[in-house]
């Protein structure tokens, strides 16, 4: 192996005998110069005394392409449970007890696309919310342990049966309580179904109390394979280490994907292991593909929030990921010789045990690497020289490839740039880096790194000011209509088999029971759409109430909140009810009443609602006839359009149209 490396290095060196210049000159400098110019530290990279923990990969929630971009090792997906889970709801594969459908939502598609790009990508499933029928009237998934375990196992089996996807890890309940007996029941049911290969992560919350519970319960300790903590701040706890289990930061980042977010990501990818022995770090979220005004806007490794234009941005965190992901693989091992740099920053080194070595050095400053949480204690990073000595089996490495990122000022900014390689045979296995603030270096024996190139994406555009959808799709690729973002409830394409007329194809709200919630779901269902800056607009939609007497539906404009804040959303909401009344409210909850009265409305019949908002005034029509007008509305001044229902009830919508100006 060493002889081949030396031969290849000499061939490359012969092609470029000139000394490293420009940026490359920063990578390796004479030791004498180091001593004269700035403080220097010496760091040994050695496997003589054995290796550290096994590396399990870098990933993202909700995936990967080898040696092109982020090249993620792990894709973690939500097991849709019909409830609000930060920026919207994801549909369950079992809305009701006797209902099974393994084609709802987009996660199946996403996992298959990830596997196309990286057949070895690790797949993880984790529930946030659960369909209401599992709770037997309680907002709790552990009422019937066997039933909930069965529900999760059906999702895993469905992944394989319908999509040929093998799930590698399964979680318990995202950032909520775990039940010790449920975890044991889940393990037994997995084994009974021949799913011994599916490993369990717990508890996707804090290090405690799961770690202490495992130490006190030998059976629990045996059935849990990985302790996963969220936003650990690069630190772990003694109990977690005492379990001798794999430790993961199973959700981290959640920071706007600016250079500060990239700095956060670069820092924690190294320091989660240096400080906390965590062998995997998983970012929330994979791609920021939701309306930016929803909670945690642009908190993804990249941004793709305009499906109507196709515009996307490959943000800096993608290239920060590549510094680790393109030059390591799950199954590599960290060296024991990892740590902090004397003047701030950190370094890690990993090996495949076959002679390859990858070293990642980061010098992210406090100011430019603060994650959204937890608070970051102050530290200082300054200009320094770092000398690394390769010992043990690495002492004969002839050459290291160098990849470089510099965050900050546009004039100094570089993302994942390949520099001239370092030739080590003449230096006795030693090299020195000159390090400034907010830099990232990868030095590796691997020559397969690549900064993928791609055509310029389409230019950004506002959401169309005139938008309509008649939902006339016989065999939709996805269960949900494009651009609608369900915030409570689930709205799906529906075929009225008994309606051969104008409303054969509709959009239907399909939940008749409140889910076991993760966030503060509203008590009404709602799906938002459009441009948050819309102010003056006309919304028109055909609606169909399915529930006699108590049923109700609405259309709305200027809706100002979504995600986990949906319950307190304001806007102008135009409701009709099966009991023959209408209502105009200034909020989704219905506390702010602008107008109410009689309307010629009943269930099981189609009606056309029209809502017009112009400046401070609003008006509404029922079947083309004015029902109310000139109601003064001062707040909010802008927001999304929306449709929804009075409660968790079946209702249908058709021929949706909005015409807006900002």
């Amino acid at each position: 192996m060493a002889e081949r490396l030396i031969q290849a290095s000499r061939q490359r060196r012969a092609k470029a005998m000139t000394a490293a210049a420009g940026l490359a000159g920063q990578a390796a400098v004479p030791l004498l110069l180091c001593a004269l110019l700035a403080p220097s530290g010496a760091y040994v990279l050695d496997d003589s005394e054995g290796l550290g923990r096994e590396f399990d990969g870098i990933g993202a929630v909700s995936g990967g392409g080898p040696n092109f971009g982020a090249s993620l090792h792990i894709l973690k997906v939500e097991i849709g449970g019909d409830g609000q889970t930060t920026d919207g709801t994801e549909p369950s594969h079992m809305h009701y007890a006797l209902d099974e459908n393994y084609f709802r939502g987009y996660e199946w598609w996403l996992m298959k696309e990830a596997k196309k790009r990286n057949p070895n990508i690790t797949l993880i499933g984790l529930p946030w919310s659960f369909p209401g029928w599992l709770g037997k009237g309680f907002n709790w998934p552990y009422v019937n342990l066997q039933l909930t375990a069965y529900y999760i196992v059906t999702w895993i089996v469905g992944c394989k049966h319908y999509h040929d996807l093998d799930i590698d890890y399964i979680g318990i309940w995202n950032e909520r309580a775990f039940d010790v007996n449920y975890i044991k029941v889940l393990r037994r049911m997995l084994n009974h179904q021949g799913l011994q290969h599916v490993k369990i992560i717990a508890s996707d919350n804090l290090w405690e109390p799961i770690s202490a519970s495992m130490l006190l319960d030998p059976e629990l300790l045996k059935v849990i394979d990985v302790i996963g903590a969220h936003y650990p701040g690069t630190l772990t706890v003694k109990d977690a280490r005492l379990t001798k289990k794999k430790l993961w930061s199973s959700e981290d980042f959640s920071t706007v994907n600016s250079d500060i977010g990239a700095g956060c990501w670069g820092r924690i990818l190294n320091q989660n292991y240096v400080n906390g022995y965590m062998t995997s770090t998983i970012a929330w979220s994979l791609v920021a593909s939701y309306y930016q005004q929803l909670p945690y806007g642009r908190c993804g490794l990249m941004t793709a929030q305009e499906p109507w234009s196709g515009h996307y941005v490959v943000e800096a965190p993608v290239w920060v990921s590549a510094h680790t992901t393109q030059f390591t693989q799950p199954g590599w091992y960290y060296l024991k010789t990892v740590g902090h740099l004397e003047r701030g920053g950190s370094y890690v080194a990993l090996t495949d045990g076959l002679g390859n070595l990858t070293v990642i050095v980061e010098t992210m400053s406090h100011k430019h690497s603060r994650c959204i949480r937890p608070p970051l204690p102050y530290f200082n990073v300054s200009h320094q020289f770092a000398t690394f000595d390769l010992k043990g089996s690495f002492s004969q490495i002839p050459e290291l490839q160098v990849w470089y990122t510099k965050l900050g000022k546009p004039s100094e900014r570089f993302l994942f740039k390949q520099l001239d390689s370092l030739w080590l045979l003449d230096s006795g296995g030693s090299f020195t880096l000159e390090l400034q603030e907010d830099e990232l270096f990868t030095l590796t024996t691997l020559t397969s790194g690549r900064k993928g190139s791609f055509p310029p994406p389409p230019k950004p555009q506002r959401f169309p000011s005139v938008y309509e959808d008649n939902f006339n799709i016989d065999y939709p690729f996805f269960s949900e209509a494009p651009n609608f973002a369900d915030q409570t409830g689930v709205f799906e394409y529906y075929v009225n088999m008994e309606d051969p007329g104008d409303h054969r194809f509709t959009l239907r709200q399909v939940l008749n029971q409140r889910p076991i919630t993760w966030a503060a779901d509203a008590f009404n269902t709602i799906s938002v759409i459009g441009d948050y800056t819309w102010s003056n607009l006309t919304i028109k939609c055909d609606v169909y109430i399915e529930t006699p007497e108590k049923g109700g539906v609405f259309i709305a404009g200027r809706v100002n909140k979504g995600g986990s804040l949906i319950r307190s959303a304001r806007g102008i909401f135009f409701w009709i009810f099966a009991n023959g009344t209408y209502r105009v409210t200034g909020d989704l909850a219905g506390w702010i009443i602008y107008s109410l009265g009689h309307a010629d409305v009943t269930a099981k019949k189609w009606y056309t609602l029209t809502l017009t908002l112009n400046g401070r005034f609003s008006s509404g029509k029922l079947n083309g006839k004015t029902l109310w007008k000139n109601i003064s509305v001062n707040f909010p001044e802008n927001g999304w359009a929306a449709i929804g229902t009075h409660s968790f009830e079946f209702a249908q919508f058709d021929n949706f149209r909005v015409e807006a100006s900002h």
Side-chain angles (χ1 to χ4, degrees):
M1 178 75 174
E3 289 178 359
R4 289 201 306 273
L5 283 171
I6 292 170
Q7 185 178 3
S9 296
R10 284 179 175 150
Q11 289 171 351
R12 284 191 293 273
R13 197 184 192 204
K15 294 177 182 177
M17 289 297 290
T18 54
L23 273 174
Q26 295 180 5
V29 294
L31 289 175
L32 178 60
L33 190 62
C34 298
L36 293 173
L37 294 180
S40 63
Y43 312 94
V44 174
L45 302 176
D46 192 356
D47 60 353
S48 301
E49 301 297 321
L51 300 172
R53 292 187 173 224
E54 183 181 4
F55 176 66
D56 296 307
I58 305 302
V61 181
S62 196
N67 299 328
F68 185 87
S71 302
L72 299 177
H73 306 128
I74 297 170
L75 174 62
K76 180 177 180 178
V77 303
E78 176 179 343
I79 300 175
D82 294 335
Q84 171 63 245
T85 57
T86 301
D87 289 300
T89 67
E90 291 200 29
S92 171
H93 63 288
M94 296 179 73
H95 292 318
Y96 332 108
L98 300 179
D99 163 63
E100 288 187 55
N101 184 320
Y102 298 92
F103 296 90
R104 293 183 182 125
Y106 59 86
E107 301 289 10
W108 324 96
W109 168 83
L110 188 62
M111 286 189 281
K112 286 188 287 189
E113 291 296 316
K115 281 287 186 181
K116 287 179 186 177
R117 289 155 179 79
N118 179 5
N120 297 318
I121 197 165
T122 298
L123 297 178
I124 305 174
L126 174 67
W128 269 245
S129 64
F130 296 83
W133 58 273
L134 286 172
K136 307 286 186 183
F138 296 91
N139 195 42
W140 191 245
Y142 306 127
V143 173
N144 184 324
L145 304 184
Q146 284 76 16
L147 194 62
T148 298
Y150 167 78
Y151 167 79
I152 294 298
V153 170
T154 60
W155 183 85
I156 298 171
V157 172
C159 280
K160 181 64 175 178
H161 182 77
Y162 292 98
H163 303 284
D164 197 25
L165 293 166
D166 293 299
I167 300 301
D168 300 291
Y169 292 88
I170 198 74
I172 306 305
W173 189 12
N174 183 64
E175 295 176 352
R176 297 294 180 264
F178 63 89
D179 182 288
V180 168
N181 291 322
Y182 168 72
I183 298 173
K184 296 174 183 178
V185 167
L186 178 61
R187 178 73 270 167
R188 287 197 292 270
M189 194 171 292
L190 288 167
N191 293 348
H192 183 70
Q193 292 295 322
L195 298 169
Q196 290 88 350
H197 68 278
V198 179
K199 297 178 180 180
I200 290 178
I201 305 177
S203 67
D204 281 293
N205 200 347
L206 304 176
W207 294 117
E208 298 289 14
I210 189 66
S211 300
S213 299
M214 292 168 67
L215 293 174
L216 294 170
D217 186 332
E219 185 184 354
L220 184 67
L221 182 67
K222 183 179 179 181
V223 301
I224 293 174
D225 300 279
V226 175
I227 304 179
H230 287 196
Y231 308 94
T234 77
L235 302 175
T236 185
V237 298
K238 183 179 179 181
D239 281 354
R241 296 193 298 272
L242 287 174
T243 65
K244 305 291 178 66
K245 295 288 184 176
K246 290 178 177 291
L247 308 178
W248 289 7
S249 177
S250 54
E251 185 178 313
D252 219 322
F253 183 59
S254 284
T255 303
V256 174
N257 53 29
S258 63
D259 273 17
I260 291 177
C264 153
W265 188 230
R267 177 175 56 80
I268 65 178
L269 285 183
N270 265 23
Q271 296 194 25
N272 275 349
Y273 186 76
V274 171
N275 299 337
Y277 307 100
M278 286 167 264
T279 54
S280 176
T281 299
I282 300 174
W284 189 96
S285 64
L286 176 67
V287 185
S289 288
Y290 43 90
Y291 290 118
Q292 188 168 332
Q293 295 81 8
L294 289 168
Y296 305 101
R298 276 189 57 197
C299 289
L301 297 183
M302 61 178 285
T303 304
Q305 58 191 20
E306 293 186 10
W308 52 89
S309 73
H311 178 71
Y312 64 90
V313 183
V314 180
E315 308 279 9
V318 165
W319 302 117
V320 168
S321 304
H323 272 275
T324 298
T325 56
Q326 287 203 20
F327 309 107
T328 59
Q329 287 297 325
W332 284 43
Y333 278 81
Y334 285 98
L335 303 193
K336 289 182 178 178
T337 49
V338 303
H340 291 275
L341 300 171
E342 290 184 8
R343 296 275 168 165
S346 65
Y347 66 97
V348 296
L350 302 97
T351 181
D352 62 355
L354 301 174
N356 283 307
L357 174 69
T358 291
V359 184
I360 304 122
V361 181
E362 61 82 20
T363 58
M364 300 304 162
S365 64
H366 184 274
K367 182 178 180 181
H368 295 130
S369 72
R370 282 176 290 189
C371 305
I372 197 167
R373 59 183 176 272
L376 181 62
Y378 182 76
F379 60 87
N380 188 56
V381 177
S382 59
H383 178 213
Q384 61 189 306
F385 291 88
T387 298
F388 293 88
D389 292 317
L390 304 187
K391 302 292 187 182
S393 69
F394 309 122
S395 61
Q396 298 303 310
I397 289 176
E399 181 187 19
L400 291 173
Q401 308 298 308
V402 183
W403 292 81
Y404 174 71
T405 286
K406 170 71 172 178
L407 301 173
K409 298 177 184 176
S411 60
E412 302 174 355
R413 190 172 185 261
F414 294 93
L415 294 176
F416 199 55
K417 179 179 178 64
Q418 186 167 18
L419 307 183
D420 288 350
S421 58
L422 294 181
W423 179 257
L424 302 180
L425 287 182
D426 301 334
S427 62
S430 175
F431 63 91
T432 298
L433 301 178
E434 180 182 6
L435 301 172
Q436 308 283 354
E437 289 185 7
D438 303 319
E439 291 183 330
L440 196 55
F441 281 94
T442 296
L443 306 106
T444 180
T445 54
L446 298 183
T447 59
S448 52
R450 182 161 67 101
K451 185 171 184 178
S453 59
F454 44 89
K459 292 182 179 180
Q461 296 177 13
R462 284 189 175 276
F463 194 95
S465 57
V466 177
Y467 182 84
E468 53 190 358
D469 194 338
N470 59 17
F471 312 116
N472 288 358
I473 300 181
D474 207 348
Y475 298 100
F477 190 77
F478 291 109
S479 57
E480 297 162 294
N483 301 315
F484 282 90
D486 301 350
Q487 300 301 308
T488 297
V490 175
F491 295 74
E492 295 180 349
Y493 285 117
Y494 183 66
V495 180
N496 281 321
M497 301 306 293
E498 65 275 5
D499 188 336
D502 295 338
H503 301 292
R504 179 170 173 79
F505 299 100
T506 66
L507 192 68
R508 190 189 196 209
Q509 200 294 118
V510 297
L511 300 189
N512 61 358
Q513 185 176 3
R514 185 175 178 82
I516 297 171
T517 58
W518 182 82
D521 297 46
F523 294 97
N524 331 82
T525 75
I526 178 173
S527 187
V528 302
I529 188 171
D531 189 324
Y532 191 79
T533 67
W534 279 349
S535 179
N536 298 329
L537 69 162
T538 296
I539 306 160
K540 187 176 182 180
C541 189
D542 298 341
V543 299
Y544 184 86
I545 303 169
E546 295 191 36
T547 305
E549 303 297 332
K550 295 182 179 180
V553 298
F554 71 82
I555 62 174
R558 299 183 187 172
V559 177
N560 73 340
K561 290 181 184 177
S564 45
L565 304 173
I566 188 60
R567 190 182 289 186
S568 59
R570 296 284 300 273
I572 298 90
F573 295 79
F574 176 18
W575 311 74
I576 60 170
F577 297 92
N579 64 5
T581 62
Y582 80 91
R583 189 170 296 184
V584 184
T585 69
D587 62 336
L588 177 61
W591 294 104
I592 304 169
I593 300 174
Y594 292 138
S595 178
L596 51 80
H598 172 76
D600 188 13
V601 172
T602 185
K604 307 287 186 180
K605 188 176 179 182
W606 283 97
Y607 300 93
T608 301
L609 298 184
T610 306
L611 171 64
T612 299
L613 306 175
N614 192 355
R616 293 177 51 241
F617 295 98
S618 63
S619 60
K621 294 180 180 179
L622 176 66
N623 289 343
K625 295 181 180 179
T626 298
L627 190 60
W628 52 276
K629 63 180 180 179
N630 295 332
I631 290 179
S632 178
V633 289
N634 297 317
F635 182 85
E637 294 182 355
N638 55 274
W640 296 293
I643 58 175
T645 66
H646 178 59
S647 64
F648 287 93
E649 60 184 276
F650 299 132
Q652 295 176 57
F653 304 83
D654 202 1
N655 299 318
F656 176 86
R657 177 183 168 89
V658 60
E659 191 168 340
S661 59
H662 300 282

